[in-house]
Amino acid sequence: MNTIQIADKKFELLMENETINKRIRLIGIQLNVDYEDRCPVFIGVLNGSFIFMGDLLKEIEVPCEVEFIKVSSYRGTESIGTIKEVIGLPENLGNRDVIIVEDIVDTGITIKHIIDQVYLQKPASVKVCSLLYKPAALRAPVEELQYTGFEIPNDFVVGYGLDYNGLGRNLKEIYRAIL
Ligand code: IMP
């Protein structure tokens, strides 16, 4: 279906599942090369990254650890700009290669907050892997954002882990809000 309704909003198809999965396979190949002979810690940012994290980790062939953190910063389609940690970071990141896995980097406020917290533990390296990235919404450059699936316009999107008021995370495809 190309147009769907979630609560009070209409959305149109932006990305097929096969397009997403092809891109994830390529990111996996890149990570396997970049982290050869290392043992990175992947930290998924809940809730939005849960599907991306699962599909991405199936492509990873280097030894690795998997952790999750949970932050909440959004209400509906608008950023409220404050970040609440619901599940905190693991405490053993000293000297580790950390890869933070996000569903989307929008303003960059959430990821910047998480990156700053990770650095406090003196890791060996910190990189961010985000499925989606809205360059037009980014408030300040995020140097650590080295792996991105797709750059998308500054529209609100749902599906493949991303929600609208808690709904739509289960959709296989990614949809964007129709104004
Ligand atoms: P940022 O702090 O503005 O970069 O926003 C990051 C978080 O906001 C993401 O992890 C998502 O949970 C949420 N978010 C940002 N843009 C969207 C969107 O278009 N759809 C659904 N959630 C979004």
Side-chain angles (χ1 to χ4, degrees), residues 124-147:
S125 66
V126 183
K127 300 289 177 224
V128 175
C129 176
S130 183
L131 179 65
L132 304 175
Y133 164 47
K134 293 181 189 171
L138 197 67
R139 301 255 176 106
V142 179
E143 215 180 285
E144 293 80 1
L145 182 58
Q146 289 214 348
Y147 305 94

mmCIF file with all atom_site columns, all heavy atoms in Angstrom, residues 124-147:
data_model
loop_
_atom_site.group_PDB
_atom_site.id
_atom_site.type_symbol
_atom_site.label_atom_id
_atom_site.label_alt_id
_atom_site.label_comp_id
_atom_site.label_asym_id
_atom_site.label_entity_id
_atom_site.label_seq_id
_atom_site.pdbx_PDB_ins_code
_atom_site.Cartn_x
_atom_site.Cartn_y
_atom_site.Cartn_z
_atom_site.occupancy
_atom_site.B_iso_or_equiv
_atom_site.pdbx_formal_charge
_atom_site.auth_seq_id
_atom_site.auth_comp_id
_atom_site.auth_asym_id
_atom_site.auth_atom_id
_atom_site.pdbx_PDB_model_num
ATOM 1   N N   . ALA A 1 124 ? 37.910 3.913  23.603 1.00 0.00 ? 124 ALA A N   1
ATOM 2   C CA  . ALA A 1 124 ? 38.987 4.015  22.603 1.00 0.00 ? 124 ALA A CA  1
ATOM 3   C C   . ALA A 1 124 ? 38.490 4.814  21.402 1.00 0.00 ? 124 ALA A C   1
ATOM 4   O O   . ALA A 1 124 ? 39.237 5.605  20.815 1.00 0.00 ? 124 ALA A O   1
ATOM 5   C CB  . ALA A 1 124 ? 39.422 2.621  22.178 1.00 0.00 ? 124 ALA A CB  1
ATOM 6   N N   . SER A 1 125 ? 37.228 4.594  21.007 1.00 0.00 ? 125 SER A N   1
ATOM 7   C CA  . SER A 1 125 ? 36.661 5.341  19.876 1.00 0.00 ? 125 SER A CA  1
ATOM 8   C C   . SER A 1 125 ? 35.137 5.357  19.986 1.00 0.00 ? 125 SER A C   1
ATOM 9   O O   . SER A 1 125 ? 34.549 4.469  20.620 1.00 0.00 ? 125 SER A O   1
ATOM 10  C CB  . SER A 1 125 ? 37.063 4.695  18.541 1.00 0.00 ? 125 SER A CB  1
ATOM 11  O OG  . SER A 1 125 ? 36.477 3.419  18.418 1.00 0.00 ? 125 SER A OG  1
ATOM 12  N N   . VAL A 1 126 ? 34.540 6.373  19.384 1.00 0.00 ? 126 VAL A N   1
ATOM 13  C CA  . VAL A 1 126 ? 33.070 6.469  19.361 1.00 0.00 ? 126 VAL A CA  1
ATOM 14  C C   . VAL A 1 126 ? 32.623 6.829  17.943 1.00 0.00 ? 126 VAL A C   1
ATOM 15  O O   . VAL A 1 126 ? 33.096 7.824  17.383 1.00 0.00 ? 126 VAL A O   1
ATOM 16  C CB  . VAL A 1 126 ? 32.545 7.573  20.319 1.00 0.00 ? 126 VAL A CB  1
ATOM 17  C CG1 . VAL A 1 126 ? 31.008 7.590  20.316 1.00 0.00 ? 126 VAL A CG1 1
ATOM 18  C CG2 . VAL A 1 126 ? 33.074 7.399  21.717 1.00 0.00 ? 126 VAL A CG2 1
ATOM 19  N N   . LYS A 1 127 ? 31.760 6.006  17.368 1.00 0.00 ? 127 LYS A N   1
ATOM 20  C CA  . LYS A 1 127 ? 31.179 6.307  16.064 1.00 0.00 ? 127 LYS A CA  1
ATOM 21  C C   . LYS A 1 127 ? 29.675 6.142  16.172 1.00 0.00 ? 127 LYS A C   1
ATOM 22  O O   . LYS A 1 127 ? 29.178 5.431  17.049 1.00 0.00 ? 127 LYS A O   1
ATOM 23  C CB  . LYS A 1 127 ? 31.689 5.349  14.975 1.00 0.00 ? 127 LYS A CB  1
ATOM 24  C CG  . LYS A 1 127 ? 33.199 5.378  14.776 1.00 0.00 ? 127 LYS A CG  1
ATOM 25  C CD  . LYS A 1 127 ? 33.663 6.649  14.116 1.00 0.00 ? 127 LYS A CD  1
ATOM 26  C CE  . LYS A 1 127 ? 35.176 6.679  14.004 1.00 0.00 ? 127 LYS A CE  1
ATOM 27  N NZ  . LYS A 1 127 ? 35.749 7.959  14.362 1.00 0.00 ? 127 LYS A NZ  1
ATOM 28  N N   . VAL A 1 128 ? 28.970 6.810  15.256 1.00 0.00 ? 128 VAL A N   1
ATOM 29  C CA  . VAL A 1 128 ? 27.514 6.694  15.229 1.00 0.00 ? 128 VAL A CA  1
ATOM 30  C C   . VAL A 1 128 ? 27.102 6.082  13.892 1.00 0.00 ? 128 VAL A C   1
ATOM 31  O O   . VAL A 1 128 ? 27.638 6.453  12.840 1.00 0.00 ? 128 VAL A O   1
ATOM 32  C CB  . VAL A 1 128 ? 26.847 8.075  15.403 1.00 0.00 ? 128 VAL A CB  1
ATOM 33  C CG1 . VAL A 1 128 ? 25.327 7.965  15.245 1.00 0.00 ? 128 VAL A CG1 1
ATOM 34  C CG2 . VAL A 1 128 ? 27.197 8.678  16.746 1.00 0.00 ? 128 VAL A CG2 1
ATOM 35  N N   . CYS A 1 129 ? 26.157 5.148  13.962 1.00 0.00 ? 129 CYS A N   1
ATOM 36  C CA  . CYS A 1 129 ? 25.600 4.532  12.762 1.00 0.00 ? 129 CYS A CA  1
ATOM 37  C C   . CYS A 1 129 ? 24.096 4.792  12.805 1.00 0.00 ? 129 CYS A C   1
ATOM 38  O O   . CYS A 1 129 ? 23.403 4.269  13.675 1.00 0.00 ? 129 CYS A O   1
ATOM 39  C CB  . CYS A 1 129 ? 25.906 3.042  12.798 1.00 0.00 ? 129 CYS A CB  1
ATOM 40  S SG  . CYS A 1 129 ? 25.185 2.147  11.421 1.00 0.00 ? 129 CYS A SG  1
ATOM 41  N N   . SER A 1 130 ? 23.614 5.619  11.892 1.00 0.00 ? 130 SER A N   1
ATOM 42  C CA  . SER A 1 130 ? 22.187 5.962  11.900 1.00 0.00 ? 130 SER A CA  1
ATOM 43  C C   . SER A 1 130 ? 21.559 5.556  10.577 1.00 0.00 ? 130 SER A C   1
ATOM 44  O O   . SER A 1 130 ? 22.110 5.843  9.511  1.00 0.00 ? 130 SER A O   1
ATOM 45  C CB  . SER A 1 130 ? 22.021 7.467  12.131 1.00 0.00 ? 130 SER A CB  1
ATOM 46  O OG  . SER A 1 130 ? 20.647 7.792  12.206 1.00 0.00 ? 130 SER A OG  1
ATOM 47  N N   . LEU A 1 131 ? 20.414 4.896  10.643 1.00 0.00 ? 131 LEU A N   1
ATOM 48  C CA  . LEU A 1 131 ? 19.756 4.480  9.402  1.00 0.00 ? 131 LEU A CA  1
ATOM 49  C C   . LEU A 1 131 ? 19.362 5.697  8.575  1.00 0.00 ? 131 LEU A C   1
ATOM 50  O O   . LEU A 1 131 ? 19.592 5.749  7.382  1.00 0.00 ? 131 LEU A O   1
ATOM 51  C CB  . LEU A 1 131 ? 18.519 3.633  9.718  1.00 0.00 ? 131 LEU A CB  1
ATOM 52  C CG  . LEU A 1 131 ? 17.748 3.180  8.480  1.00 0.00 ? 131 LEU A CG  1
ATOM 53  C CD1 . LEU A 1 131 ? 18.582 2.225  7.635  1.00 0.00 ? 131 LEU A CD1 1
ATOM 54  C CD2 . LEU A 1 131 ? 16.420 2.552  8.859  1.00 0.00 ? 131 LEU A CD2 1
ATOM 55  N N   . LEU A 1 132 ? 18.770 6.690  9.247  1.00 0.00 ? 132 LEU A N   1
ATOM 56  C CA  . LEU A 1 132 ? 18.304 7.879  8.537  1.00 0.00 ? 132 LEU A CA  1
ATOM 57  C C   . LEU A 1 132 ? 18.977 9.122  9.101  1.00 0.00 ? 132 LEU A C   1
ATOM 58  O O   . LEU A 1 132 ? 19.377 9.157  10.273 1.00 0.00 ? 132 LEU A O   1
ATOM 59  C CB  . LEU A 1 132 ? 16.786 8.034  8.669  1.00 0.00 ? 132 LEU A CB  1
ATOM 60  C CG  . LEU A 1 132 ? 15.929 6.854  8.224  1.00 0.00 ? 132 LEU A CG  1
ATOM 61  C CD1 . LEU A 1 132 ? 14.459 7.130  8.536  1.00 0.00 ? 132 LEU A CD1 1
ATOM 62  C CD2 . LEU A 1 132 ? 16.106 6.571  6.738  1.00 0.00 ? 132 LEU A CD2 1
ATOM 63  N N   . TYR A 1 133 ? 19.044 10.121 8.262  1.00 0.00 ? 133 TYR A N   1
ATOM 64  C CA  . TYR A 1 133 ? 19.745 11.344 8.642  1.00 0.00 ? 133 TYR A CA  1
ATOM 65  C C   . TYR A 1 133 ? 19.079 12.491 7.884  1.00 0.00 ? 133 TYR A C   1
ATOM 66  O O   . TYR A 1 133 ? 18.892 12.401 6.659  1.00 0.00 ? 133 TYR A O   1
ATOM 67  C CB  . TYR A 1 133 ? 21.216 11.143 8.279  1.00 0.00 ? 133 TYR A CB  1
ATOM 68  C CG  . TYR A 1 133 ? 22.086 12.352 8.210  1.00 0.00 ? 133 TYR A CG  1
ATOM 69  C CD1 . TYR A 1 133 ? 22.070 13.317 9.198  1.00 0.00 ? 133 TYR A CD1 1
ATOM 70  C CD2 . TYR A 1 133 ? 22.977 12.513 7.143  1.00 0.00 ? 133 TYR A CD2 1
ATOM 71  C CE1 . TYR A 1 133 ? 22.903 14.415 9.126  1.00 0.00 ? 133 TYR A CE1 1
ATOM 72  C CE2 . TYR A 1 133 ? 23.812 13.609 7.068  1.00 0.00 ? 133 TYR A CE2 1
ATOM 73  C CZ  . TYR A 1 133 ? 23.767 14.555 8.057  1.00 0.00 ? 133 TYR A CZ  1
ATOM 74  O OH  . TYR A 1 133 ? 24.591 15.640 7.974  1.00 0.00 ? 133 TYR A OH  1
ATOM 75  N N   . LYS A 1 134 ? 18.668 13.530 8.633  1.00 0.00 ? 134 LYS A N   1
ATOM 76  C CA  . LYS A 1 134 ? 18.025 14.694 7.996  1.00 0.00 ? 134 LYS A CA  1
ATOM 77  C C   . LYS A 1 134 ? 19.004 15.856 8.034  1.00 0.00 ? 134 LYS A C   1
ATOM 78  O O   . LYS A 1 134 ? 19.006 16.630 9.009  1.00 0.00 ? 134 LYS A O   1
ATOM 79  C CB  . LYS A 1 134 ? 16.763 15.099 8.772  1.00 0.00 ? 134 LYS A CB  1
ATOM 80  C CG  . LYS A 1 134 ? 15.621 14.104 8.746  1.00 0.00 ? 134 LYS A CG  1
ATOM 81  C CD  . LYS A 1 134 ? 14.444 14.684 9.549  1.00 0.00 ? 134 LYS A CD  1
ATOM 82  C CE  . LYS A 1 134 ? 13.344 13.701 9.777  1.00 0.00 ? 134 LYS A CE  1
ATOM 83  N NZ  . LYS A 1 134 ? 12.325 14.181 10.726 1.00 0.00 ? 134 LYS A NZ  1
ATOM 84  N N   . PRO A 1 135 ? 19.841 16.013 7.014  1.00 0.00 ? 135 PRO A N   1
ATOM 85  C CA  . PRO A 1 135 ? 20.878 17.056 7.058  1.00 0.00 ? 135 PRO A CA  1
ATOM 86  C C   . PRO A 1 135 ? 20.303 18.454 7.293  1.00 0.00 ? 135 PRO A C   1
ATOM 87  O O   . PRO A 1 135 ? 20.904 19.257 8.005  1.00 0.00 ? 135 PRO A O   1
ATOM 88  C CB  . PRO A 1 135 ? 21.557 16.983 5.690  1.00 0.00 ? 135 PRO A CB  1
ATOM 89  C CG  . PRO A 1 135 ? 21.095 15.728 5.062  1.00 0.00 ? 135 PRO A CG  1
ATOM 90  C CD  . PRO A 1 135 ? 19.855 15.267 5.755  1.00 0.00 ? 135 PRO A CD  1
ATOM 91  N N   . ALA A 1 136 ? 19.118 18.725 6.741  1.00 0.00 ? 136 ALA A N   1
ATOM 92  C CA  . ALA A 1 136 ? 18.552 20.081 6.853  1.00 0.00 ? 136 ALA A CA  1
ATOM 93  C C   . ALA A 1 136 ? 18.109 20.405 8.277  1.00 0.00 ? 136 ALA A C   1
ATOM 94  O O   . ALA A 1 136 ? 17.942 21.575 8.626  1.00 0.00 ? 136 ALA A O   1
ATOM 95  C CB  . ALA A 1 136 ? 17.370 20.228 5.900  1.00 0.00 ? 136 ALA A CB  1
ATOM 96  N N   . ALA A 1 137 ? 17.911 19.376 9.109  1.00 0.00 ? 137 ALA A N   1
ATOM 97  C CA  . ALA A 1 137 ? 17.440 19.618 10.482 1.00 0.00 ? 137 ALA A CA  1
ATOM 98  C C   . ALA A 1 137 ? 18.582 19.678 11.491 1.00 0.00 ? 137 ALA A C   1
ATOM 99  O O   . ALA A 1 137 ? 18.399 20.149 12.616 1.00 0.00 ? 137 ALA A O   1
ATOM 100 C CB  . ALA A 1 137 ? 16.469 18.505 10.886 1.00 0.00 ? 137 ALA A CB  1
ATOM 101 N N   . LEU A 1 138 ? 19.765 19.218 11.095 1.00 0.00 ? 138 LEU A N   1
ATOM 102 C CA  . LEU A 1 138 ? 20.887 19.094 12.025 1.00 0.00 ? 138 LEU A CA  1
ATOM 103 C C   . LEU A 1 138 ? 21.308 20.474 12.551 1.00 0.00 ? 138 LEU A C   1
ATOM 104 O O   . LEU A 1 138 ? 21.552 21.384 11.770 1.00 0.00 ? 138 LEU A O   1
ATOM 105 C CB  . LEU A 1 138 ? 22.066 18.421 11.306 1.00 0.00 ? 138 LEU A CB  1
ATOM 106 C CG  . LEU A 1 138 ? 23.163 17.859 12.185 1.00 0.00 ? 138 LEU A CG  1
ATOM 107 C CD1 . LEU A 1 138 ? 22.650 16.682 13.008 1.00 0.00 ? 138 LEU A CD1 1
ATOM 108 C CD2 . LEU A 1 138 ? 24.353 17.424 11.332 1.00 0.00 ? 138 LEU A CD2 1
ATOM 109 N N   . ARG A 1 139 ? 21.402 20.600 13.881 1.00 0.00 ? 139 ARG A N   1
ATOM 110 C CA  . ARG A 1 139 ? 21.735 21.905 14.473 1.00 0.00 ? 139 ARG A CA  1
ATOM 111 C C   . ARG A 1 139 ? 23.236 22.196 14.433 1.00 0.00 ? 139 ARG A C   1
ATOM 112 O O   . ARG A 1 139 ? 23.647 23.326 14.290 1.00 0.00 ? 139 ARG A O   1
ATOM 113 C CB  . ARG A 1 139 ? 21.278 21.942 15.933 1.00 0.00 ? 139 ARG A CB  1
ATOM 114 C CG  . ARG A 1 139 ? 19.803 21.706 16.111 1.00 0.00 ? 139 ARG A CG  1
ATOM 115 C CD  . ARG A 1 139 ? 19.060 23.004 16.441 1.00 0.00 ? 139 ARG A CD  1
ATOM 116 N NE  . ARG A 1 139 ? 17.644 22.726 16.514 1.00 0.00 ? 139 ARG A NE  1
ATOM 117 C CZ  . ARG A 1 139 ? 16.961 22.670 17.652 1.00 0.00 ? 139 ARG A CZ  1
ATOM 118 N NH1 . ARG A 1 139 ? 17.549 22.890 18.799 1.00 0.00 ? 139 ARG A NH1 1
ATOM 119 N NH2 . ARG A 1 139 ? 15.675 22.427 17.624 1.00 0.00 ? 139 ARG A NH2 1
ATOM 120 N N   . ALA A 1 140 ? 24.055 21.135 14.648 1.00 0.00 ? 140 ALA A N   1
ATOM 121 C CA  . ALA A 1 140 ? 25.509 21.310 14.632 1.00 0.00 ? 140 ALA A CA  1
ATOM 122 C C   . ALA A 1 140 ? 26.124 20.024 14.092 1.00 0.00 ? 140 ALA A C   1
ATOM 123 O O   . ALA A 1 140 ? 25.558 18.948 14.293 1.00 0.00 ? 140 ALA A O   1
ATOM 124 C CB  . ALA A 1 140 ? 26.008 21.578 16.054 1.00 0.00 ? 140 ALA A CB  1
ATOM 125 N N   . PRO A 1 141 ? 27.275 20.112 13.395 1.00 0.00 ? 141 PRO A N   1
ATOM 126 C CA  . PRO A 1 141 ? 27.859 18.899 12.827 1.00 0.00 ? 141 PRO A CA  1
ATOM 127 C C   . PRO A 1 141 ? 28.162 17.853 13.895 1.00 0.00 ? 141 PRO A C   1
ATOM 128 O O   . PRO A 1 141 ? 28.571 18.202 15.006 1.00 0.00 ? 141 PRO A O   1
ATOM 129 C CB  . PRO A 1 141 ? 29.168 19.387 12.189 1.00 0.00 ? 141 PRO A CB  1
ATOM 130 C CG  . PRO A 1 141 ? 29.128 20.869 12.217 1.00 0.00 ? 141 PRO A CG  1
ATOM 131 C CD  . PRO A 1 141 ? 28.088 21.309 13.177 1.00 0.00 ? 141 PRO A CD  1
ATOM 132 N N   . VAL A 1 142 ? 27.938 16.596 13.567 1.00 0.00 ? 142 VAL A N   1
ATOM 133 C CA  . VAL A 1 142 ? 28.252 15.503 14.486 1.00 0.00 ? 142 VAL A CA  1
ATOM 134 C C   . VAL A 1 142 ? 29.377 14.693 13.832 1.00 0.00 ? 142 VAL A C   1
ATOM 135 O O   . VAL A 1 142 ? 29.152 13.894 12.928 1.00 0.00 ? 142 VAL A O   1
ATOM 136 C CB  . VAL A 1 142 ? 27.022 14.600 14.746 1.00 0.00 ? 142 VAL A CB  1
ATOM 137 C CG1 . VAL A 1 142 ? 27.366 13.456 15.691 1.00 0.00 ? 142 VAL A CG1 1
ATOM 138 C CG2 . VAL A 1 142 ? 25.861 15.420 15.308 1.00 0.00 ? 142 VAL A CG2 1
ATOM 139 N N   . GLU A 1 143 ? 30.585 14.961 14.289 1.00 0.00 ? 143 GLU A N   1
ATOM 140 C CA  . GLU A 1 143 ? 31.786 14.347 13.707 1.00 0.00 ? 143 GLU A CA  1
ATOM 141 C C   . GLU A 1 143 ? 31.730 12.813 13.745 1.00 0.00 ? 143 GLU A C   1
ATOM 142 O O   . GLU A 1 143 ? 32.214 12.135 12.851 1.00 0.00 ? 143 GLU A O   1
ATOM 143 C CB  . GLU A 1 143 ? 32.955 14.803 14.569 1.00 0.00 ? 143 GLU A CB  1
ATOM 144 C CG  . GLU A 1 143 ? 34.256 15.034 13.857 1.00 0.00 ? 143 GLU A CG  1
ATOM 145 C CD  . GLU A 1 143 ? 35.275 15.471 14.889 1.00 0.00 ? 143 GLU A CD  1
ATOM 146 O OE1 . GLU A 1 143 ? 35.191 16.646 15.336 1.00 0.00 ? 143 GLU A OE1 1
ATOM 147 O OE2 . GLU A 1 143 ? 36.082 14.627 15.275 1.00 0.00 ? 143 GLU A OE2 1
ATOM 148 N N   . GLU A 1 144 ? 31.156 12.282 14.797 1.00 0.00 ? 144 GLU A N   1
ATOM 149 C CA  . GLU A 1 144 ? 31.133 10.820 15.009 1.00 0.00 ? 144 GLU A CA  1
ATOM 150 C C   . GLU A 1 144 ? 30.149 10.099 14.077 1.00 0.00 ? 144 GLU A C   1
ATOM 151 O O   . GLU A 1 144 ? 30.180 8.878  13.988 1.00 0.00 ? 144 GLU A O   1
ATOM 152 C CB  . GLU A 1 144 ? 30.749 10.510 16.463 1.00 0.00 ? 144 GLU A CB  1
ATOM 153 C CG  . GLU A 1 144 ? 31.774 10.928 17.500 1.00 0.00 ? 144 GLU A CG  1
ATOM 154 C CD  . GLU A 1 144 ? 31.706 12.423 17.846 1.00 0.00 ? 144 GLU A CD  1
ATOM 155 O OE1 . GLU A 1 144 ? 30.840 13.137 17.280 1.00 0.00 ? 144 GLU A OE1 1
ATOM 156 O OE2 . GLU A 1 144 ? 32.514 12.865 18.663 1.00 0.00 ? 144 GLU A OE2 1
ATOM 157 N N   . LEU A 1 145 ? 29.296 10.853 13.387 1.00 0.00 ? 145 LEU A N   1
ATOM 158 C CA  . LEU A 1 145 ? 28.287 10.233 12.505 1.00 0.00 ? 145 LEU A CA  1
ATOM 159 C C   . LEU A 1 145 ? 28.948 9.780  11.205 1.00 0.00 ? 145 LEU A C   1
ATOM 160 O O   . LEU A 1 145 ? 28.988 10.511 10.217 1.00 0.00 ? 145 LEU A O   1
ATOM 161 C CB  . LEU A 1 145 ? 27.156 11.236 12.221 1.00 0.00 ? 145 LEU A CB  1
ATOM 162 C CG  . LEU A 1 145 ? 25.981 10.759 11.367 1.00 0.00 ? 145 LEU A CG  1
ATOM 163 C CD1 . LEU A 1 145 ? 25.298 9.546  11.971 1.00 0.00 ? 145 LEU A CD1 1
ATOM 164 C CD2 . LEU A 1 145 ? 24.975 11.887 11.184 1.00 0.00 ? 145 LEU A CD2 1
ATOM 165 N N   . GLN A 1 146 ? 29.500 8.553  11.227 1.00 0.00 ? 146 GLN A N   1
ATOM 166 C CA  . GLN A 1 146 ? 30.284 8.099  10.071 1.00 0.00 ? 146 GLN A CA  1
ATOM 167 C C   . GLN A 1 146 ? 29.551 7.091  9.221  1.00 0.00 ? 146 GLN A C   1
ATOM 168 O O   . GLN A 1 146 ? 29.989 6.787  8.120  1.00 0.00 ? 146 GLN A O   1
ATOM 169 C CB  . GLN A 1 146 ? 31.596 7.514  10.562 1.00 0.00 ? 146 GLN A CB  1
ATOM 170 C CG  . GLN A 1 146 ? 32.481 8.612  11.084 1.00 0.00 ? 146 GLN A CG  1
ATOM 171 C CD  . GLN A 1 146 ? 33.940 8.359  10.824 1.00 0.00 ? 146 GLN A CD  1
ATOM 172 O OE1 . GLN A 1 146 ? 34.326 7.276  10.441 1.00 0.00 ? 146 GLN A OE1 1
ATOM 173 N NE2 . GLN A 1 146 ? 34.739 9.366  11.046 1.00 0.00 ? 146 GLN A NE2 1
ATOM 174 N N   . TYR A 1 147 ? 28.482 6.513  9.733  1.00 0.00 ? 147 TYR A N   1
ATOM 175 C CA  . TYR A 1 147 ? 27.747 5.514  8.963  1.00 0.00 ? 147 TYR A CA  1
ATOM 176 C C   . TYR A 1 147 ? 26.280 5.936  8.906  1.00 0.00 ? 147 TYR A C   1
ATOM 177 O O   . TYR A 1 147 ? 25.619 6.016  9.939  1.00 0.00 ? 147 TYR A O   1
ATOM 178 C CB  . TYR A 1 147 ? 27.868 4.134  9.628  1.00 0.00 ? 147 TYR A CB  1
ATOM 179 C CG  . TYR A 1 147 ? 29.306 3.716  9.847  1.00 0.00 ? 147 TYR A CG  1
ATOM 180 C CD1 . TYR A 1 147 ? 29.942 3.969  11.066 1.00 0.00 ? 147 TYR A CD1 1
ATOM 181 C CD2 . TYR A 1 147 ? 30.035 3.101  8.830  1.00 0.00 ? 147 TYR A CD2 1
ATOM 182 C CE1 . TYR A 1 147 ? 31.266 3.612  11.265 1.00 0.00 ? 147 TYR A CE1 1
ATOM 183 C CE2 . TYR A 1 147 ? 31.364 2.742  9.023  1.00 0.00 ? 147 TYR A CE2 1
ATOM 184 C CZ  . TYR A 1 147 ? 31.972 3.000  10.238 1.00 0.00 ? 147 TYR A CZ  1
ATOM 185 O OH  . TYR A 1 147 ? 33.274 2.652  10.430 1.00 0.00 ? 147 TYR A OH  1
#
